[in-house]
Amino acid sequence: IPEQKQNQAGASAGGPLITNKLFLFGSFQRLWDRAEAASSQTVVPTDAQRLGDFTGLSAQLRNPVDTLTGAPLTAANGSPCVSGNRIDPGCISQVSQDLLSRYVPSTSDGTIVTFSPAPRDHFVWMVRGDYNLSPNNQLNAHAFVDRSDSTSWPGNVNYVQQSLFSDVTQFTVNDTHILRPTVINEATVSRLVSRSGGGATSQILPRDLGIDVDPGPDGRGMSLSVSGSLNFAYPGVNTQDYGSWQFKNVSTWTTGD
């Protein structure tokens, strides 16, 4: 049974700063969430297959051809790259060898189990103040912040870690004025800002892997995958921003016996 470790702490306090005039209240809460790392099983090349020996497969490998000329691919000595379910070592690219040696553990049975921790942190704080301008006029303001941060590993091998965040901030000022015993005016102005997004926590350039191409315009590296097997997923860059202002004025007139 996966373990779940959570720690939560918080505090609140409030009271008058000036008797019958100014009041202040605030609170804070923090959460540390450390779930047990999720595991996944992935089919990968065996130790023998890393050296080009696929004789243990029942399927027969075919020698690929050059997509431009249609000619069979050959090793430096002129022999086919693939023959008898063996790949000539000279035909195995340095890029694939480097990827396997860096990110894929060696295995004799062709499977690996990857553990990918995904910690999450969350905090909320709020503060409110009330100020009596006069017996008939009260001003209050409050601010609120909610923030979440997490990290995870996309794909099925620990290639590049990604971080995600969401952030909400709100500020409101409210003025309540008793103009007459039967007339009350309430004016409110508020601001809301919401941001979310994420991206890679580190950068691996294509040329770091021996691939002679430029990174994306956002600095993103390359994602590589093998159907039914390895998935080297490079996190995308994602940011969403939203902001709004709100102005409201409400007057209430009470009449009757």
Side-chain angles (χ1 to χ4, degrees), residues 3-198:
E3 293 185 358
Q4 181 82 16
K5 293 183 178 180
Q6 289 187 346
N7 292 290
Q8 188 171 6
S12 63
L17 298 183
I18 302 176
T19 303
N20 297 327
K21 194 74 173 179
L22 178 61
F23 303 84
L24 188 67
F25 173 82
S27 66
F28 175 81
Q29 180 174 290
R30 177 70 186 266
L31 171 69
W32 296 266
D33 187 358
R34 299 295 182 267
E36 187 173 70
S39 64
S40 62
Q41 184 169 292
T42 305
V43 176
V44 300
T46 64
D47 292 339
Q49 291 169 352
R50 289 178 184 235
L51 301 176
D53 184 357
F54 288 80
T55 56
L57 291 181
S58 57
Q60 292 298 307
L61 302 183
R62 292 182 297 177
N63 191 42
V65 298
D66 190 306
T67 56
L68 297 178
T69 65
L73 296 184
T74 58
N77 59 8
S79 61
C81 276
V82 180
S83 178
N85 269 18
R86 293 182 182 272
I87 301 176
D88 189 293
C91 295
I92 301 176
S93 72
Q94 189 62 44
V95 172
S96 63
Q97 294 182 51
D98 289 344
L99 281 171
L100 290 172
S101 63
R102 287 187 193 182
Y103 304 109
V104 183
S106 177
T107 174
S108 60
D109 64 358
T111 59
I112 61 170
V113 176
T114 304
F115 292 91
S116 302
R120 182 176 68 95
D121 293 320
H122 178 239
F123 75 82
V124 178
W125 67 261
M126 187 271 289
V127 62
R128 174 185 172 120
D130 296 315
Y131 183 59
N132 293 324
L133 296 170
S134 71
N136 294 328
N137 192 190
Q138 184 184 70
L139 184 71
N140 64 67
H142 87 265
F144 170 83
V145 175
D146 186 305
R147 170 86 184 196
S148 291
D149 294 278
S150 64
T151 58
S152 61
W153 296 87
N156 55 17
V157 292
N158 293 345
Y159 173 48
V160 179
Q161 191 179 43
Q162 71 175 352
S163 64
L164 300 172
F165 75 91
S166 65
D167 194 348
V168 177
T169 302
Q170 185 177 34
F171 179 77
T172 302
V173 177
N174 179 271
D175 177 82
T176 302
H177 201 160
I178 302 175
L179 301 177
R180 295 193 312 191
T182 59
V183 179
I184 299 176
N185 190 81
E186 184 177 11
T188 303
V189 57
S190 65
R191 170 67 171 167
L192 173 67
V193 177
S194 176
R195 300 183 67 245
S196 63

Side-chain angles (χ1 to χ4, degrees), residues 193-241:
V193 177
S194 176
R195 300 183 67 245
S196 63
T201 60
S202 61
Q203 187 180 48
I204 299 178
L205 300 176
R207 289 187 176 88
D208 295 336
L209 303 173
I211 303 173
D212 191 21
V213 297
D214 294 326
D218 55 7
R220 183 182 179 188
M222 297 190 69
S223 293
L224 306 163
S225 64
V226 177
S227 179
S229 181
L230 297 169
N231 180 14
F232 298 88
Y234 202 104
V237 178
N238 176 32
T239 301
Q240 296 180 344
D241 295 314

